[in-house]
């Protein structure tokens, strides 16, 4: 398996752990606010890092490295992912994966095989097709149904793996009421994170001039959402 980005040390990709982070190529979504357009649209133009190099690095830092975070792009469009994860787990490391939720079967298999310790699942918008297709930049309703299935998998999770749902709060795509709707749809979830939108490089360049919501507005959203889930936090 090849990666298109390798961060040797990260303190933010896996809550409370020191990890390395790898970035996979390609994605089946086209979120207009995506901050990794190179990985999504032109991954072949980026240098590759081999799985062997990643595992060797982890082993060389075993004394203080807790694990590996796998992000993208969308990691679960890579068929080789389970084999790679198995290799990392065999060396005794924790594995966290960030996903858009479009491969519920792989998610289930990784959980059932105890190959995954932490999942961050992006919920781009309320789980309503008309809203979701705009936020994810897709026309394929089947992908949307798969996201809903993955949400269900995590809500019914009965294993040691932990998870969080995350929504990037993008002005124009997400309103205060939308956050409340998502919180109701993931009622009793262990953890829901509202991520601040940072207008840096975005897939749709128009989003670079958007003004993010203020901290006060995000905090107001968080307070309203927190009565539906176990914990709700703002990040960024
Ligand atoms: S933000 Fe959207 S387009 Fe970008 S990598 Fe994530 S799911 Fe794919």
């Amino acid at each position: 398996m090849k990666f298109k980005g390798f961060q040797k040390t990260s303190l933010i990709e896996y809550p409370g752990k020191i990890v390395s982070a790898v970035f996979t190529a390609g994605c089946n979504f086209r979120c207009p606010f995506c901050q990794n357009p190179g990985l999504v649209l032109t991954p072949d133009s980026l240098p590759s890092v081999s799985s062997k190099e990643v595992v060797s690095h982890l082993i060389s830092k075993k004394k203080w490295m807790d694990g590996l975070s796998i992000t993208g792009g969308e990691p679960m469009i890579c068929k080789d992912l389970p084999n790679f994860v198995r290799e990392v787990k065999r060396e005794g490391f924790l594995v966290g994966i960030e996903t858009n939720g479009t491969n519920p079967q792989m998610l289930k298999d990784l959980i059932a095989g105890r190959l995954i310790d932490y999942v961050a699942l992006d919920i781009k918008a309320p789980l309503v097709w008309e809203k979701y297709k705009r936020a994810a930049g897709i026309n394929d309703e089947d992908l949307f149904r798969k996201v809903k299935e993955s949400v269900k998998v995590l809500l019914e999770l009965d294993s040691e793996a932990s998870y969080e749902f995350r929504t990037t709060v993008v002005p124009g795509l997400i309103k205060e009421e939308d956050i409340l709707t998502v919180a109701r749809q993931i009622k009793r979830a262990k953890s829901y994170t509202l991520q601040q939108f940072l207008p840096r490089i975005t897939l749709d360049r128009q989003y670079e001039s958007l003004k993010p919501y203020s901290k006060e507005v995000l905090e107001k959203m968080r307070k309203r959402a927190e009565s539906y889930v176990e914990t709700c936090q703002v990040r960024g």
Side-chain angles (χ1 to χ4, degrees):
M1 187 164 175
K2 294 228 181 296
F3 300 97
K4 292 292 175 177
F6 181 28
Q7 195 180 335
K8 291 189 171 170
T9 308
S10 168
L11 302 175
I12 56 169
E13 297 288 341
Y14 192 128
K17 302 291 178 192
I18 304 171
V19 297
S20 291
V22 285
F23 299 80
T24 60
C27 185
N28 46 3
F29 277 5
R30 290 291 182 272
C31 313
F33 56 90
C34 176
Q35 303 204 314
N36 283 320
L39 279 175
V40 173
L41 302 175
T42 53
D44 291 345
S45 67
L46 302 171
S48 295
V49 180
S50 71
S51 52
K52 199 171 161 202
E53 195 178 324
V54 173
V55 175
S56 298
H57 171 75
L58 289 172
I59 292 170
S60 73
K61 306 292 178 201
K62 206 165 193 169
K63 276 192 186 150
W64 52 270
M65 187 69 81
D66 295 312
L68 180 70
S69 171
I70 305 171
T71 182
E74 171 47 44
M76 293 203 198
I77 60 171
C78 308
K79 288 195 184 76
D80 294 344
L81 184 73
N83 282 339
F84 170 67
V85 171
R86 202 167 285 119
E87 203 180 333
V88 175
K89 291 295 293 175
R90 206 180 295 131
E91 296 298 336
F93 293 100
L94 294 169
V95 171
I97 299 186
E98 299 183 358
T99 179
N100 63 18
T102 50
N103 195 339
Q105 191 57 53
M106 189 183 284
L107 179 62
K108 277 185 218 166
D109 291 346
L110 288 169
I111 292 169
R114 295 178 180 265
L115 294 174
I116 195 169
D117 302 283
Y118 171 74
V119 186
L121 196 157
D122 277 346
I123 298 183
K124 307 290 181 188
L127 296 163
V128 175
W129 171 233
E130 287 307 317
K131 284 188 181 273
Y132 219 89
K133 69 177 185 184
R134 188 164 166 243
I138 51 168
N139 274 317
D140 183 346
E141 200 167 351
D142 191 45
L143 283 181
F144 170 62
R145 278 190 281 272
K146 286 180 173 162
V147 174
K148 289 199 290 183
E149 206 181 319
S150 291
V151 169
K152 201 160 168 263
V153 168
L154 292 189
L155 287 174
E156 291 171 357
L157 193 64
D158 181 21
S159 80
E160 285 167 14
S162 66
Y163 70 86
E164 74 171 15
F165 293 112
R166 300 190 307 204
T167 299
T168 303
V169 192
V170 186
L173 285 178
I174 301 289
K175 300 190 183 101
E176 189 174 336
E177 288 307 308
D178 292 329
I179 293 297
L180 210 57
T181 304
V182 175
R184 285 193 193 108
Q185 290 173 325
I186 58 167
K187 205 171 177 179
R188 287 189 280 278
K190 282 187 199 159
S191 180
Y192 182 36
T193 298
L194 309 183
Q195 288 199 143
Q196 177 61 291
F197 164 69
L198 301 171
R200 291 193 207 119
I201 301 164
T202 52
L203 193 144
D204 178 341
R205 302 297 299 268
Q206 290 182 32
Y207 281 70
E208 290 170 15
S209 55
L210 279 184
K211 189 169 177 283
Y213 284 115
S214 67
K215 280 188 178 165
E216 291 71 28
V217 171
L218 288 184
E219 182 55 24
K220 196 171 156 219
M221 292 179 184
R222 187 195 69 76
K223 276 197 174 141
R224 291 188 72 192
E226 80 174 335
S227 55
Y228 294 94
V229 293
E230 281 184 28
T231 60
C232 184
Q233 47 282 321
V234 172
R235 189 174 296 148

